[in-house]
Amino acid sequence: VDKLKPDGSKGFGNSRPTWEVQPYVAQSVGEEWEEYIQAELSDAVKQNGEKVKEEGIAIVVANTGEIIRRGVGQVPWRNMVEELEKFVKEDDMLDLGFLQG
């Protein structure tokens, strides 16, 4: 009888995509990015206070290198993917459907 009971730790309903639970999707590489991120962090601290150093910042970049959005704190990944998809579809460049599941 136990074999017929579903295992609550497995299945489809409770798991979230990896990109939703990671602190980042891609890591920055290169001196220019480090300088850019430090400048963004400094601006965010000036605008929002020292709490930004704990909350972190997010920078959403399209595959073209264009900055789509900046923000403080945890990223609402589903909203970001939808916004990025809309931006990219307008330019007809990239399908991000693989991020949906």
Side-chain angles (χ1 to χ4, degrees):
V1 177
D2 285 339
K3 291 181 182 180
L4 298 177
K5 292 182 181 178
D7 181 348
S9 66
K10 297 180 182 175
F12 300 102
N14 295 331
S15 63
R16 290 173 51 196
T18 307
W19 53 266
E20 263 191 43
V21 295
Q22 287 179 256
Y24 60 86
V25 175
Q27 211 167 7
S28 62
V29 178
E31 191 173 309
E32 294 85 12
W33 275 111
E34 293 298 324
E35 291 173 7
Y36 175 78
I37 291 169
Q38 284 303 319
E40 287 290 328
L41 185 59
S42 294
D43 285 346
V45 168
K46 287 176 190 172
Q47 294 171 9
N48 299 290
E50 291 292 318
K51 66 180 182 175
V52 169
K53 292 180 181 177
E54 291 178 26
E55 293 178 355
I57 61 171
I59 303 168
V60 180
V61 184
N63 65 332
T64 60
E66 186 172 348
I67 306 299
I68 304 300
R69 179 175 280 239
R70 301 173 186 95
V72 174
Q74 189 172 357
V75 177
W77 288 116
R78 288 190 188 273
N79 296 349
M80 288 300 100
V81 170
E82 289 170 6
E83 186 173 334
L84 191 54
E85 278 186 325
K86 181 181 175 191
F87 173 81
V88 172
K89 283 181 182 174
E90 289 172 359
D91 290 346
D92 251 354
M93 296 188 72
L94 177 68
D95 177 16
L96 299 175
F98 70 93
L99 292 174
Q100 296 300 324

